[in-house]
Amino acid sequence: ADISTTLAGVKLPNLLFNASGVCCQTEADLKLMVESESGSLITKSATYEQRDGNPSPRYNPLPGGIGSINSMGLPNEGYEYYLNYAKNYDYSSKKPLFISLSGLSLADNVKMCEAFVAADLPCVLEINYSCPNVPGKPQMGYDFEAMEHSLSVLAPIINKPFGIKLPPYFDIAHFDQAAAVFNKFDNLAFVTCINSVGNGLAIDFETEEALIKPKDGFGGLGGLMILNTALANVNAFHRRLPGKQIIGVGGVVSGKEAFLHVLAGASAVQIGTTLKEEGPAVFARVAKELSDIMIAKGYKTLEDFRGKVKTL
Ligand SMILES: CC(C)(C)CCc1c(C(=O)O)[nH]c(=O)[nH]c1=O
């Protein structure tokens, strides 16, 4: 079956790629993504300066395949590394390149966006709004006023289709408020839902220890356990953002969850925890599983069922 898609005006040979943060920090990581059966690839969220990130252990899978917890602390090579990668990328290849930016301040995001715009490259920007805000205030994605102000500055600078990575929302009023902000920006072409579910705590029963070192063991949750929250966020914004697209991410362990993300409204699907645990071979597996599901159900393309979840 045809699992290709178009996102922000660029064609992806298939709808699957990595979630920013997984298999994408170094050129060696990104080479694995280019060589994989993914339809695209996105870089680790870049900050203005290089960052080592938090002390390890800072990522851990959870027992029983239910998911993962991480508090990486934005380790990355600094934005110029990814700008250079984007300058050298082979855009004649079938795979479009996405770049994630996560400035620690609006000023940093402005400087990074201006540098990418000046380079005038075909890559697509995804701004990470799970990025920190002023200390003591909630993350940007949960500060609607700050997020609107940030977008009012960045959207005109970027001046072409771009997207934003969002934390999960859990309140209908928040879906409404967030969508009201996003609908103000015509070149905000897509939203990527969801980032990890923030500040979970994983404890080892035997040792009675937290699984990760940073933040007293508090970290973002990913994997199968966040699937239903992810599907809700994908569908909530699919319903509320006419003319915009949704990238679905969260809980994709097989073709079945990728299918559900498209049914909820996703135009592309990213994989995080399962990619971290299984490696880049996951893309060939999930692509085949999704294609087989579509054939079994009589669907030829993603448009045949995108957003067509039935309510009772
Ligand atoms: C959580 C932040 C460090 C503020 C942003 C980077 C990030 C991280 C990270 O680098 O810890 N982990 C996630 O699951 N999602 C993210 O967006």
Side-chain angles (χ1 to χ4, degrees):
D2 176 3
I3 61 170
S4 69
T5 193
T6 300
L7 197 72
V10 296
K11 180 100 171 114
L12 282 65
N14 75 66
L15 79 165
L16 302 173
F17 59 122
N18 62 303
S20 176
V22 183
C23 197
C24 60
Q25 179 169 341
T26 65
E27 291 195 60
D29 295 332
L30 293 162
K31 186 167 183 290
L32 291 175
M33 282 303 304
V34 169
E35 291 166 351
S36 79
E37 290 302 304
S38 71
S40 182
L41 66 158
I42 186 167
T43 55
K44 167 68 183 174
S45 295
T47 48
Y48 194 78
E49 306 289 347
Q50 178 276 344
R51 289 170 57 91
D52 293 340
N54 289 334
S56 293
R58 59 192 189 181
Y59 167 89
N60 227 307
L62 300 177
I66 62 169
S68 66
I69 188 165
N70 90 84
S71 186
M72 308 300 286
L74 259 176
N76 75 97
E77 309 302 314
Y79 89 98
E80 285 160 316
Y81 181 96
Y82 304 104
L83 177 56
N84 188 56
Y85 181 82
K87 285 177 179 173
N88 295 323
Y89 188 76
D90 173 12
Y91 295 98
S92 71
S93 80
K94 302 186 315 302
K95 284 190 189 188
L97 173 64
F98 289 72
I99 297 287
S100 176
L101 299 176
S102 184
L104 299 179
S105 66
L106 178 54
D108 280 3
N109 269 328
V110 166
K111 287 189 290 189
M112 294 191 288
C113 287
E114 284 175 342
F116 273 90
V117 170
D120 190 22
L121 299 165
C123 53
V124 180
L125 297 181
E126 182 189 88
I127 311 295
N128 184 355
Y129 274 110
S130 282
C131 57
N133 195 355
V134 173
K137 292 191 73 174
Q139 61 165 287
M140 286 294 284
Y142 292 151
D143 182 337
F144 296 112
E145 207 174 294
M147 195 161 45
E148 177 166 353
H149 174 62
S150 172
L151 286 167
S152 69
V153 171
L154 298 180
I157 291 172
I158 295 168
N159 196 28
K160 66 175 187 177
F162 75 105
I164 57 177
K165 176 74 169 283
L166 295 172
Y169 299 98
F170 301 92
D171 189 306
I172 299 300
H174 291 162
F175 290 135
D176 293 336
Q177 286 171 35
V181 171
F182 304 151
N183 280 322
K184 293 180 178 180
F185 303 96
D186 292 345
N187 62 319
L188 177 57
F190 65 91
V191 297
T192 304
C193 300
I194 58 178
N195 207 321
S196 49
V197 172
N199 292 306
L201 176 61
I203 304 170
D204 181 291
F205 177 74
E206 300 304 326
T207 66
E208 303 174 13
E209 292 170 341
L211 287 193
I212 59 173
K213 183 178 178 72
K215 293 178 59 178
D216 295 329
F218 283 63
L221 302 175
L224 189 57
M225 68 187 294
I226 72 166
L227 171 68
N228 297 106
T229 293
L231 294 177
N233 277 261
V234 167
N235 193 240
F237 286 115
H238 177 67
R239 291 174 183 278
R240 288 172 174 77
L241 301 177
K244 299 187 190 300
Q245 294 180 291
I246 319 294
I247 298 180
V249 49
V252 178
V253 301
S254 74
K256 182 180 170 195
E257 296 77 29
F259 176 82
L260 293 174
H261 268 280
V262 175
L263 206 54
S267 288
V269 171
Q270 296 174 348
I271 304 177
T273 299
T274 310
L275 169 59
K276 179 86 175 180
E277 293 304 306
E278 182 172 333
V282 66
F283 295 110
R285 173 175 69 83
V286 172
K288 168 125 181 40
E289 290 168 346
L290 174 58
S291 177
D292 290 349
I293 287 165
M294 288 170 65
I295 291 166
K297 285 171 170 275
Y299 295 127
K300 289 188 176 52
T301 68
L302 299 177
E303 287 71 30
D304 289 348
F305 64 103
R306 176 174 297 122
K308 296 190 174 169
V309 51
K310 300 169 195 159
T311 55
L312 301 183

